[in-house]
Amino acid sequence: MNAHFRPVLDGLRPPAGALRLALLRLVMVVLASSPALVTALLGLDAGAARRPYFTEVPGRLPVARLLQLARDLPDGYAAALAVSVVLAVLGDQLLTGGAVALLGPRPPKERRVLAVVWKRGLTHLWPFLRAVAVGVILTAVGAGLIGALFRRLDVMGYRAGWSGEARALYLPLASVGLTVLWMAAVGALVFWCRLITAADGRRRVRRTLLLALRVFVRHPLRSSGLFVSSTVISTLLPGAVLAAWRQAEPVRGGALGLLLGGWCAALCLQAVVWIWLVRSGWLLYLHEGLADLRATADAPFGVLTWLRGLPGKLVSPRRAR
Amino acid sequence: MLLRPTRGRTAGTFPAALSTTRLCLLAAACTTTVGAPEVALALDLPPVPVSYRIEAELHPDTRGLEGKEEIRWRNETGESIAALPMHLYLNGFAHQETTWMRESAPRRPGESELLARNPDPWGYMEPVTITQRVGNEEREVSWRPIQPDDGNPFDRSLGEITLAQPAAPGEVVVLNVTFTGRLPEPMARTGGGRGYFLVGQWYPKIGVIEPAGVRHAPAARRAARQFHGPTEFYADFADYDVTFATPPGWMVGATGRLAPPAAGMAPRTDGLVTARYTQRAVIDFALVASQHLVDRWERHSPAGGGPTVDIRYMVPAGTEHQIPRWHQSIAGALDVLGSRVGPYPYDVLTVVMPPFWAGATGGMEYPTFITGGSGDRLVDNPLLSQVRLGEVVNIHEFGHQYFHGLLASNEQEEAFLDEGFNSYWEGEITRALYGDAASLGYVLGRRVEGAELGALRLGSAAETIHEPMRKRPTWLFEDGTWSLQAYPRSAVTFATAAALFGQERVDRVFAEYFRRFVFKHPDTEDFLKVAAEVGGAEFEAFCREAFGKDHLPDYAVTDADVTRFKVPLGRIITAEGPLVVTRENRAQHAGVGLPEEAREEDGQVLVEILDPGWVSGSEERTGTIQRVKMKPEQLAPFPDHRGHRADDGHFTSEVTITGPGWATLPVEVLLRFADGAVVHDTWDGRARWRRYRVLRGAPLVDARVDPAHKIQVDAAPQNNALAVDADEGFARDWGFWLGAVAEWIAGGASLWL
């Protein structure tokens, strides 16, 4: 059992530079989301925080005022949030390239983590971005299918006379849960695709995705299982902190400091988990049972070439003449 | 039936949450608000112009309905009538191109969902034969579908019967109709299947022909309209005698009371079981038939008088334990409406909580018969158990017994007279029963206040409202606005009236409106006449403006700024002669250029008020700038505000407020200063904006318009006050939290992409 999970457990033993990498990821997330943070702080300072309608409510904001506050969110917050997401995703591509290099069996001689991240990240950025695009498509398709499935289930429930509790509460919750799991599963695929790309210096995303899937088939728990479970937990935990923060409303002074501390701890946990995933993924990929995958050539499928030649094949030589 | 003027004591089933004190208040409200009548109104159920005797049967397997009816219609129009309108409401559900289906498309299940639920969801109603009794002869008469509203040739929800012999004024027309039909899959208000049927709008029904004078009709006129999506019904009061047959094992509940089988009615030989219900003087008749409902009876004597009411709750099996919650809401509604509007004149009420799957038949009002929210375990779930949605639906639907069950306005023309008035009373009842702070309960520990939610709903769509609330017909309001116009707008209008003119005056107006128009068909002008006579001219003017304005009012403080006073540069005349102030010598001449009044030695604050003037129709006022001395109220100072200390110089505070330009909506304005001084002003709100400028020894802290939040019809109450400085604690709490949310989403996205 221990030997079976050795890569997973060894991944917890951080090599040199891992702590700095985790810190870098933490800083990256904070910096990437700073446009939204700044927009929120400035916008509230000029808007809702000057309105006694919101500020003079003792205790938690009533539901109507909470909804009104959501409507009165600072202009540009949503746009800044979108920018934050794009920046974070881009930053993560660079970080992953650097992390795979730094946490791998042959770390570069360069000691400066930032320099490695920048150099190796840029090296793999283009295939990484294509992997992200595949991830976005898979996530959207999966979420759409899950939505359609639960709509059908709801209709089934309607016809079978299921209770309102089942249809209006448990089905939506199950739908959200399944969507989260699907997003995490797609995340595992994209993550492994990037890991293999950077580990082997590959460029062919579609073939690499298939290699990742083969890793999943051979070591489901140590690859996708570990990724899905750890990322879901490390994502839900900060979510719980956010929910607790709002339930503790109004948060002032020491309580605010405490919650911010809890929030930072949750972000740190997320960064550490990410390091663990990269490291254990590397160790698993080096497993001798995956040697054939590592040896697979990074050759294109030739689909585009075949498609380009298709018109010529469809037109007979005689007609062409 | 003569109503017993019972008052006060409730037999056995007194609602736990209604304290004795509150009931005393209700009783006091009754005696003080109704005014003229010393005791509860004793109402005879009046003679009515129409009666129906219906025998029908339900075939659950096919959702089929078959029946026959004898309709007696007395011609009260004062004119000879050759044709009668006839509602065939179920035809609204016949196919996708009916007027109802077209207009309700945004609110009903879409095509795919509808067909997925049931590939054959359609309903219909067809008269098979119609005869008119002329002497002892039954003469066949013809009918045809008509579409007076939209000309939609595919709509058969309204028909016209051409009488074999025209009806002279005062004559009673007797029609015998056999009909066949089918209930739809539940989409709205009616329908069923799988052991539950809400049988509503289900029989051929004579449409209204208004005599001259009713609803200010200049001459007799047809008021019957097609079945429209946004609005519901309008009907004559009628007596009903309905015998309904179902297969054995089905429970039936209906408008009115269960009665013995009609004399001379032969027992059925087809195995069906019959139930006969009768009710006098109601505008419609509906029933429920189910294999899965159970029933419980409660009894309540309303605080405002009227007969003791037997209340039958019909709920899905397994949810009987929820009945005390529903009964508390219904009994409370009977008490509040009975004591402040008028006594409920019937002695029976059936409350149906439909199963969740048939929720589309819930939230519907029929006379002495209402459907509430779904009876379901969902109500008991800890996440939702503290929310009073079911209670609110019950209260709202019961309120319709008054608006328009008894005050039978035309809902298709003026829906706010019933939906809006009823929404106002829904708010009053929930507040009386459950308190002001959280009348709708709690969600995750947060208060849910009905009035605030209604105002939010209205305010969030305020920019889409471009028509007066009283505009006719309601079903032709701009897309997406009819429900706002019909429901919350009217509710917040009366809440505003209560705050401006006093609750007692509003109650008195409603009590008189009820007294005059119960069992009649009032319109907006009828209500306004009562408002003028009982509420006074200014009350009526407010209602008239609120009903007639094409936009919602919004008072706002748009600007509140403070600048430190500086000695002005330049050549200034002082008591010692001219003085040239420069940047270099400015510090040596502190106090130069400061008006004497700014020192406030007489304890009064000098306020400069800029009123830009206005023009409205033939009225106008020229703009002015006035300097007015006001005596401030003195409250505790804000010592740390902007580092202000006593003798810390002078400050110019400027406040700009904007208003709706209404004529009947004066508002209080309040300016609070750091030294605790509070300046009060009243603005008539006729100009679109107003500016205050104050130079004094303390800076402004905040400015408020309508500080007591009397104007609940204000579309955006959140902008009614503005502080000079942000609340730093609030900004940090929410700012960092929003930042953390962004980090959470960005971090999650980067982890999974």
Side-chain angles (χ1 to χ4, degrees):
Chain A
M1 187 70 179
N2 196 21
H4 187 70
F5 282 101
R6 168 134 274 159
V8 176
L9 297 174
D10 285 351
L12 286 170
R13 216 172 295 146
L19 198 62
R20 275 174 290 165
L21 257 180
L23 195 64
L24 197 58
R25 182 179 162 86
L26 180 68
V27 170
M28 184 275 292
V29 170
V30 172
L31 282 180
S33 52
S34 58
L37 175 67
V38 171
T39 310
L41 282 171
L42 292 180
L44 284 166
D45 211 49
R50 289 181 66 192
R51 297 292 184 187
Y53 181 81
F54 300 117
T55 61
E56 290 184 350
V57 175
R60 295 175 188 141
L61 283 180
V63 168
R65 296 191 187 204
L66 187 69
L67 294 173
Q68 187 63 56
L69 182 65
R71 285 178 46 80
D72 289 355
L73 275 183
D75 293 340
Y77 175 72
L81 179 59
V83 169
S84 296
V85 169
V86 170
L87 287 177
V89 170
L90 279 175
D92 190 71
Q93 310 315 307
L94 297 176
L95 272 175
T96 305
V100 172
L102 283 166
L103 304 178
R106 287 181 296 279
K109 288 177 185 166
E110 172 65 74
R111 293 293 181 96
R112 292 172 303 164
V113 170
L114 200 58
V116 175
V117 165
W118 181 249
K119 190 177 172 190
R120 297 300 179 97
L122 282 180
T123 305
H124 302 295
L125 185 60
W126 179 234
F128 279 13
L129 286 179
R130 281 184 286 146
V132 167
V134 173
V136 169
I137 292 167
L138 287 176
T139 300
V141 169
L145 288 174
I146 290 168
L149 170 72
F150 276 86
R151 278 194 295 279
R152 286 193 75 112
L153 279 175
D154 185 56
V155 170
M156 268 178 58
Y158 171 88
R159 297 176 75 148
W162 289 358
S163 72
E165 195 174 33
R167 284 181 59 211
L169 197 63
Y170 296 144
L171 272 187
L173 283 177
S175 173
V176 169
L178 200 60
T179 306
V180 167
L181 283 179
W182 172 251
M183 288 167 71
V186 171
L189 183 67
V190 173
F191 172 82
W192 268 89
C193 174
R194 289 187 292 168
L195 191 142
I196 296 171
T197 298
D200 296 346
R202 293 170 184 271
R203 312 298 292 174
R204 312 291 177 190
V205 169
R206 274 165 290 173
R207 185 173 291 279
T208 313
L209 280 168
L210 289 183
L211 289 180
L213 281 176
R214 288 169 71 182
V215 174
F216 289 1
V217 170
R218 293 188 194 178
H219 303 283
L221 290 180
R222 287 180 287 177
S223 55
S224 57
L226 176 67
F227 185 94
V228 169
S229 56
S230 60
T231 57
V232 165
I233 290 169
S234 66
T235 303
L236 289 185
L237 202 67
V241 174
L242 289 176
W245 187 335
R246 280 281 52 92
Q247 285 303 97
E249 189 180 308
V251 182
R252 300 284 191 275
L256 182 61
L258 202 67
L259 280 163
L260 277 172
W263 174 249
C264 285
L267 286 185
C268 287
L269 174 75
Q270 217 172 44
V272 168
V273 164
W274 176 76
I275 293 287
W276 179 35
L277 288 170
V278 175
R279 176 74 177 154
S280 63
W282 237 129
L283 295 177
L284 177 62
Y285 191 54
L286 293 174
H287 193 275
E288 59 188 21
L290 298 178
D292 59 323
L293 301 188
R294 292 199 300 275
T296 305
D298 187 31
F301 285 124
V303 176
L304 289 176
T305 311
W306 182 80
L307 281 174
R308 280 192 210 106
L310 195 59
K313 289 173 189 163
L314 292 175
V315 181
S316 68
R318 186 179 300 171
R319 282 184 64 187
R321 276 198 297 275
Chain B
M1 182 176 66
L2 183 69
L3 301 187
R4 298 185 299 277
T6 52
R7 188 189 290 271
R9 177 96 173 87
T10 301
T13 56
F14 206 73
L18 264 181
S19 66
T20 310
T21 313
R22 189 166 282 146
L23 267 181
C24 289
L25 287 173
L26 289 175
C30 175
T31 49
T32 55
T33 57
V34 174
E38 283 299 314
V39 294
L41 291 169
L43 294 172
D44 273 326
L45 294 183
V48 294
V50 191
S51 70
Y52 292 88
R53 198 172 71 220
I54 306 175
E55 291 172 29
E57 58 194 47
L58 173 70
H59 301 285
D61 294 343
T62 60
R63 304 199 308 270
L65 279 174
E66 282 180 32
K68 60 181 181 181
E69 61 180 344
E70 181 190 89
I71 306 171
R72 290 173 176 266
W73 180 83
R74 189 170 62 242
N75 181 2
E76 295 187 339
T77 66
E79 298 175 9
S80 176
I81 296 294
L84 289 174
M86 175 177 60
H87 292 290
L88 300 166
Y89 286 120
L90 287 183
N91 283 338
F93 305 102
H95 54 77
Q96 288 180 302
E97 285 302 312
T98 69
T99 295
W100 187 88
M101 291 293 274
R102 281 181 185 175
E103 292 176 352
S104 63
R107 291 175 303 284
R108 63 173 169 76
E111 178 180 310
S112 302
E113 189 180 348
L114 193 60
L115 296 180
R117 288 178 175 187
N118 189 332
D120 184 11
W122 316 113
Y124 69 88
M125 171 57 55
E126 291 295 325
V128 179
T129 60
I130 305 178
T131 60
Q132 181 184 359
R133 190 174 302 158
V134 181
N136 292 325
E137 185 186 353
E138 289 290 336
R139 288 195 198 165
E140 199 160 309
V141 298
S142 64
W143 78 279
R144 65 186 179 97
I146 56 173
Q147 301 84 20
D149 301 341
D150 62 1
N152 174 7
F154 301 107
D155 190 64
R156 295 165 67 89
S157 62
L158 184 67
E160 181 183 73
I161 300 171
T162 304
L163 296 174
Q165 179 175 298
E171 184 182 343
V172 174
V173 175
V174 181
L175 296 172
N176 276 292
V177 182
T178 59
F179 58 89
T180 181
R182 188 180 194 220
L183 291 162
E185 187 73 18
M187 290 178 232
R189 307 180 182 118
T190 186
R194 301 185 287 289
Y196 168 88
F197 287 88
L198 197 287
V199 188
Q201 303 125 38
W202 57 282
Y203 56 94
K205 182 177 181 182
I206 296 300
V208 177
I209 301 178
E210 292 173 336
V214 171
R215 296 178 61 248
H216 295 87
R221 66 182 176 190
R222 269 194 198 178
R225 291 189 177 277
Q226 294 163 244
F227 193 12
H228 289 281
T231 57
E232 291 162 341
F233 314 107
Y234 181 42
D236 285 316
F237 286 95
D239 295 339
Y240 285 86
D241 180 343
V242 178
T243 302
F244 198 77
T246 60
W250 288 67
M251 178 186 282
V252 173
T255 296
R257 275 191 184 276
L258 191 63
M265 180 172 281
R268 296 190 75 106
T269 57
D270 54 7
L272 298 183
V273 180
T274 61
R276 178 178 174 226
Y277 281 82
T278 60
Q279 180 59 56
R280 286 217 49 234
V282 287
I283 56 170
D284 202 358
F285 188 99
L287 58 96
V288 66
S290 176
Q291 292 175 299
H292 308 307
L293 296 182
V294 293
D295 67 344
R296 296 282 184 281
W297 286 88
E298 299 283 349
R299 176 168 286 185
H300 184 71
S301 295
T308 295
V309 184
D310 288 327
I311 308 167
R312 184 187 189 190
Y313 293 93
M314 300 180 73
V315 302
T319 65
E320 300 92 322
H321 62 281
Q322 295 168 356
I323 288 176
R325 282 182 64 169
W326 313 142
H327 183 61
Q328 183 192 8
S329 61
I330 293 292
L334 273 162
D335 288 337
V336 173
L337 286 167
S339 57
R340 290 168 61 182
V341 177
Y344 178 68
Y346 309 110
D347 60 0
V348 68
L349 177 71
T350 297
V351 181
V352 179
M353 309 301 284
F356 188 82
W357 72 268
T361 65
M364 190 55 200
E365 68 279 11
Y366 296 98
T368 77
F369 180 99
I370 61 175
T371 60
S374 296
D376 195 90
R377 292 202 307 265
L378 189 63
V379 175
D380 305 323
N381 189 284
L383 275 175
L384 299 169
S385 60
Q386 288 190 307
V387 186
R388 299 194 187 99
L389 283 180
E391 286 90 332
V392 169
V393 175
N394 285 343
I395 288 167
H396 183 89
E397 303 313 331
F398 176 76
H400 277 304
Q401 298 300 311
Y402 286 72
F403 314 97
H404 67 310
L406 293 164
L407 297 153
S409 49
N410 184 337
E411 186 174 8
Q412 292 190 322
E413 289 277 306
E414 301 167 298
F416 81 99
L417 288 181
D418 73 293
E419 295 293 2
F421 285 23
N422 187 32
S423 295
Y424 165 70
W425 281 102
E426 170 200 312
E428 289 300 299
I429 295 163
T430 50
R431 276 201 293 278
L433 283 178
Y434 307 116
D436 285 336
S439 61
L440 297 194
Y442 294 85
V443 174
L444 295 174
R446 290 179 190 275
R447 290 182 283 123
V448 189
E449 215 297 287
E452 273 197 346
L453 269 186
L456 172 72
R457 184 179 162 221
L458 188 62
S460 62
E463 288 171 9
T464 66
I465 290 179
H466 308 114
E467 295 167 287
M469 180 162 64
R470 64 179 294 181
K471 191 214 72 169
R472 304 178 190 188
T474 300
W475 52 273
L476 278 181
F477 270 120
E478 196 173 344
D479 290 347
T481 66
W482 79 268
S483 67
L484 297 170
Q485 296 270 18
Y487 290 77
R489 186 172 174 185
S490 183
V492 293
T493 295
F494 283 115
T496 303
L500 291 177
F501 305 106
Q503 186 68 60
E504 186 265 346
R505 204 185 316 188
V506 176
D507 285 4
R508 205 150 25 94
V509 168
F510 271 98
E512 180 63 15
Y513 176 57
F514 180 84
R515 196 186 68 76
R516 285 192 202 177
F517 291 101
V518 64
F519 295 114
K520 295 193 176 84
H521 304 284
D523 69 357
T524 306
E525 284 301 323
D526 289 323
F527 178 82
L528 289 172
K529 189 162 184 281
V530 175
E533 291 175 16
V534 179
E538 58 179 6
F539 182 92
E540 188 259 355
F542 165 74
C543 289
R544 192 172 286 282
E545 182 168 49
F547 295 172
K549 278 285 184 186
D550 61 5
H551 65 276
L552 292 172
D554 177 21
Y555 279 106
V557 182
T558 56
D559 207 9
D561 272 329
V562 172
T563 51
R564 189 175 282 273
F565 173 78
K566 289 180 182 173
V567 177
L569 302 180
R571 184 173 180 272
I572 297 166
I573 305 297
T574 66
E576 290 79 33
L579 174 69
V580 176
V581 180
T582 63
R583 279 187 166 177
E584 288 72 25
N585 69 8
R586 182 185 247 172
Q588 301 159 19
H589 299 294
V592 170
L594 190 69
E596 276 305 308
E597 293 91 338
R599 302 182 200 282
E600 298 176 3
E601 285 165 358
D602 57 357
Q604 300 205 79
V605 176
L606 180 70
V607 183
E608 184 182 295
I609 303 173
L610 187 159
D611 186 322
W614 49 267
V615 177
S616 174
S618 59
E619 293 182 282
E620 69 174 289
R621 187 167 71 209
T622 303
T624 57
I625 297 179
Q626 293 177 312
R627 292 159 70 85
V628 183
K629 278 193 167 184
M630 295 182 176
K631 182 76 181 167
E633 180 187 5
Q634 193 61 44
L635 300 178
F638 301 78
D640 296 331
H641 183 72
R642 292 204 151 198
H644 164 71
R645 294 181 301 276
D647 303 324
D648 196 23
H650 281 73
F651 301 84
T652 302
S653 302
E654 277 198 342
V655 172
T656 305
I657 59 178
T658 58
W662 284 28
T664 61
L665 215 51
V667 72
E668 188 187 357
V669 179
L670 186 150
L671 311 177
R672 291 201 308 169
F673 292 88
D675 60 353
V678 181
V679 171
H680 296 262
D681 185 35
T682 301
W683 180 32
D684 65 9
R686 301 223 48 184
R688 295 312 291 253
W689 61 281
R690 184 177 180 87
R691 182 167 295 148
Y692 295 89
R693 189 168 177 274
V694 183
L695 175 57
R696 63 189 304 267
L700 182 78
V701 174
D702 60 40
R704 295 163 193 250
V705 60
D706 187 26
H709 191 39
K710 291 180 176 177
I711 301 175
Q712 295 192 26
V713 69
D714 190 316
Q718 73 276 14
N719 64 21
N720 283 14
L722 185 63
V724 174
D725 293 326
D727 181 322
E728 287 179 6
F730 181 91
R732 281 199 204 112
D733 176 8
W734 279 94
F736 282 123
W737 187 78
L738 286 168
V741 167
E743 282 165 5
W744 186 53
I745 295 172
S750 67
L751 210 54
W752 286 343
L753 285 177

